[in-house]
Amino acid sequence: VLQNLSQTPVLRELLKEAKMPGMTVKIESPELFVEPQLIKLDQPGPLTLAMYQFLTEMQETNKRVVTPKELFAQVCKKAIRFKGYQQQDSHELLRYLLDGMRAEE
């Protein structure tokens, strides 16, 4: 899930902009034939910042392994079911991650 999200250019760009509070971002998607949207961003929350830091590390590092410790810790704060390292479905992680970031908006 995280590797797929790291290859989503719109998400990476939006998170890059989101780290600067008070910024207005224009989201365009010509391939979806949707009108551009302007969104004013508030101070990002801890989950959003952890996601930004993780995606930045994934893109900019020469390391072979990137560990999402801080991102996972923030997900666990929003969704207690992930504590304890039991096996979870990847779609559940995606849902809690994106819902948690949206709740911080």
Side-chain angles (χ1 to χ4, degrees):
V1 166
L2 295 176
Q3 287 175 333
N4 286 326
L5 290 175
S6 75
Q7 297 303 312
T8 307
V10 172
L11 178 63
R12 286 195 326 261
E13 289 302 314
L14 184 60
L15 288 174
K16 189 184 300 181
E17 300 293 329
K19 70 178 186 156
M20 296 177 273
M23 183 94 173
T24 301
V25 177
K26 184 177 182 180
I27 298 177
E28 299 181 81
S29 184
E31 52 279 342
L32 295 178
F33 304 104
V34 179
E35 292 292 320
Q37 295 181 344
L38 292 175
I39 299 172
K40 184 171 181 184
L41 303 172
D42 293 327
Q43 177 69 35
L47 179 60
T48 303
L49 285 174
M51 182 66 174
Y52 168 75
Q53 291 168 345
F54 174 74
L55 293 180
T56 300
E57 188 176 353
M58 288 268 304
Q59 293 297 312
E60 295 179 353
T61 188
N62 290 331
K63 292 191 265 182
R64 301 181 100 194
V65 177
V66 176
T67 306
K69 287 181 183 178
E70 178 60 26
L71 179 58
F72 184 66
Q74 292 301 324
V75 169
C76 288
K77 287 180 182 178
K78 303 276 184 191
I80 297 192
R81 72 182 317 158
F82 288 99
K83 286 186 178 178
Y85 300 100
Q86 286 117 7
Q87 187 171 345
Q88 302 287 338
D89 290 332
S90 60
H91 75 276
E92 290 177 357
L93 172 68
L94 178 61
R95 188 178 105 221
Y96 283 106
L97 178 62
L98 296 179
D99 284 349
M101 287 172 37
R102 184 174 58 202
E104 291 182 344
E105 289 179 351

